[in-house]
Amino acid sequence: MASSGAFTMTGGDAAYSYTKNSTIQRDIVDAGKELIKEALSEKFDLKSLGFDTPSTVVKIADLGCSVGPNTFFVMQNIIEAIELKFHQAKNQNYSALEFQAFFNDHYENDFNILFKTLPPSRKFFAAGVPGSFHGRLFPKSSLHFAHISNALHFLSKVPKEVVDGNSPVWNKGNVLNSSVKEVAEAYSTQFKVDMECFLNARAEELVPGGLMFILGGVVPDGISASETMGGVYFDVMGSCLKDLVKNGVLEEEKVNSFNVPVHGATPKELEAIFRTNGKFSIEKMEKFTQPMKTPLSPEGYVLAVRAGSDGLMRNHFGDESAEQIFKHFTTKVEENFDKILGGVRNNLNLFILLKRI
């Protein structure tokens, strides 16, 4: 699992679940609501998408949906914006409008809890679509809208040279050390390969003129990745694992073989990938800072991290060792909380709107 991209959030609804510990991601979704509304008002062409005919089923996919509730807020935001557009355009099909919502994530995702918590008053027909968003998930030209938030940084796999003990790029003892040029380049190369697959798949699945919304954190141009929220996390977690090796709690070999399949891209990096791919026009790329409606505490930070990585740790280190890791990680977070807050302050988010050419 440490070299695989099958990186899912903690399921269920217990204390460490993503369901109960995803307010940071929720804040980004909330911040994107008005951006989606404005984008649809300006860029949603009813005629080009066929909505000047009796066809009134709008098909929307949320990619990397996890287990909720954030994915339901996303779907509500998009549907409200679409309804407003139909209403403003005085479209004759407004009263007959129906929505088909597709919720996608890896096979390992907790789809049971996702569907158990579907909003009872929802305005959409729901379907689950298991599989990696780096490949095809839907028939050709079957979607009008695709959305992905807080997930595009996940890679399909850890770069092979980073986990090869005979490679000069072996990331020995580090969870993800972006300060080493060769390691950073290996991750960046893997990200470009994955993004090309992602964009090609969506280009097949979206109808011509279909829209894709992308929201999530990026590394600000001119700032080291190690200074961002993600970079600080990897430094603190890496330090935690090294301490546990010294104390005899973890095997050094286990730590040396542990890497996380994620990459923090810069805005320039993303724009270059979109333009090279050439299958989408960039309609909007708007920066916005990390909104934090709830003040971040050491305890809340640990719970958020555990909601995202508990399964990954257990799969690689085992249940007992994972408990020891998070116990020591709690101490390390308390000791480094000012540094963590600095990383949060340096965080930058992008709202991207792409149109299928």
Side-chain angles (χ1 to χ4, degrees), residues 161 180-190:
E161 59 268 42
V180 177
K181 180 182 177 182
E182 293 78 8
V183 173
E185 288 176 349
Y187 273 90
S188 180
T189 298
Q190 183 63 52

Short mmCIF file of all heavy atoms in Angstrom, two decimals, residues 161 180-190:
data_model
loop_
_atom_site.label_atom_id
_atom_site.label_comp_id
_atom_site.label_asym_id
_atom_site.label_seq_id
_atom_site.Cartn_x
_atom_site.Cartn_y
_atom_site.Cartn_z
N GLU A 161 11.65 4.87 -8.70
CA GLU A 161 13.05 5.11 -8.33
C GLU A 161 13.20 5.59 -6.89
O GLU A 161 14.26 5.43 -6.29
CB GLU A 161 13.70 6.11 -9.29
CG GLU A 161 13.03 7.48 -9.37
CD GLU A 161 11.98 7.57 -10.45
OE1 GLU A 161 11.21 6.62 -10.61
OE2 GLU A 161 11.93 8.63 -11.13
N VAL A 180 15.04 17.59 -1.52
CA VAL A 180 16.05 16.92 -2.34
C VAL A 180 15.61 17.03 -3.80
O VAL A 180 14.56 16.50 -4.18
CB VAL A 180 16.21 15.44 -1.93
CG1 VAL A 180 17.21 14.74 -2.84
CG2 VAL A 180 16.66 15.34 -0.47
N LYS A 181 16.40 17.71 -4.60
CA LYS A 181 16.01 18.04 -5.97
C LYS A 181 15.59 16.82 -6.77
O LYS A 181 14.55 16.82 -7.44
CB LYS A 181 17.16 18.76 -6.67
CG LYS A 181 16.84 19.15 -8.11
CD LYS A 181 18.05 19.82 -8.76
CE LYS A 181 17.75 20.14 -10.23
NZ LYS A 181 18.93 20.74 -10.91
N GLU A 182 16.39 15.75 -6.71
CA GLU A 182 16.11 14.57 -7.52
C GLU A 182 14.81 13.89 -7.11
O GLU A 182 14.07 13.36 -7.95
CB GLU A 182 17.28 13.58 -7.43
CG GLU A 182 18.57 14.06 -8.07
CD GLU A 182 19.34 15.06 -7.21
OE1 GLU A 182 18.93 15.26 -6.03
OE2 GLU A 182 20.32 15.64 -7.69
N VAL A 183 14.54 13.87 -5.80
CA VAL A 183 13.29 13.27 -5.30
C VAL A 183 12.10 14.11 -5.76
O VAL A 183 11.09 13.58 -6.23
CB VAL A 183 13.31 13.15 -3.76
CG1 VAL A 183 11.95 12.69 -3.24
CG2 VAL A 183 14.40 12.17 -3.32
N ALA A 184 12.21 15.42 -5.62
CA ALA A 184 11.13 16.32 -6.04
C ALA A 184 10.85 16.17 -7.53
O ALA A 184 9.68 16.16 -7.96
CB ALA A 184 11.50 17.76 -5.72
N GLU A 185 11.91 16.02 -8.33
CA GLU A 185 11.74 15.87 -9.77
C GLU A 185 11.05 14.55 -10.11
O GLU A 185 10.25 14.48 -11.05
CB GLU A 185 13.09 15.96 -10.47
CG GLU A 185 13.66 17.37 -10.50
CD GLU A 185 15.04 17.44 -11.12
OE1 GLU A 185 15.65 16.36 -11.35
OE2 GLU A 185 15.52 18.56 -11.39
N ALA A 186 11.37 13.48 -9.36
CA ALA A 186 10.74 12.18 -9.60
C ALA A 186 9.24 12.26 -9.34
O ALA A 186 8.42 11.73 -10.12
CB ALA A 186 11.38 11.12 -8.71
N TYR A 187 8.87 12.93 -8.26
CA TYR A 187 7.44 13.09 -7.94
C TYR A 187 6.75 13.98 -8.98
O TYR A 187 5.62 13.71 -9.39
CB TYR A 187 7.27 13.68 -6.55
CG TYR A 187 7.24 12.65 -5.45
CD1 TYR A 187 8.40 12.24 -4.81
CD2 TYR A 187 6.04 12.05 -5.05
CE1 TYR A 187 8.39 11.28 -3.81
CE2 TYR A 187 6.00 11.10 -4.05
CZ TYR A 187 7.18 10.70 -3.43
OH TYR A 187 7.14 9.75 -2.45
N SER A 188 7.42 15.03 -9.41
CA SER A 188 6.85 15.94 -10.41
C SER A 188 6.63 15.21 -11.74
O SER A 188 5.59 15.40 -12.40
CB SER A 188 7.77 17.14 -10.62
OG SER A 188 7.25 18.02 -11.58
N THR A 189 7.57 14.37 -12.12
CA THR A 189 7.44 13.60 -13.36
C THR A 189 6.26 12.64 -13.29
O THR A 189 5.48 12.52 -14.23
CB THR A 189 8.73 12.82 -13.64
OG1 THR A 189 9.81 13.74 -13.82
CG2 THR A 189 8.60 11.96 -14.89
N GLN A 190 6.11 11.96 -12.14
CA GLN A 190 4.98 11.04 -11.97
C GLN A 190 3.67 11.81 -12.02
O GLN A 190 2.67 11.33 -12.59
CB GLN A 190 5.11 10.29 -10.64
CG GLN A 190 4.02 9.26 -10.39
CD GLN A 190 4.06 8.14 -11.43
OE1 GLN A 190 5.11 7.54 -11.65
NE2 GLN A 190 2.92 7.87 -12.05
#
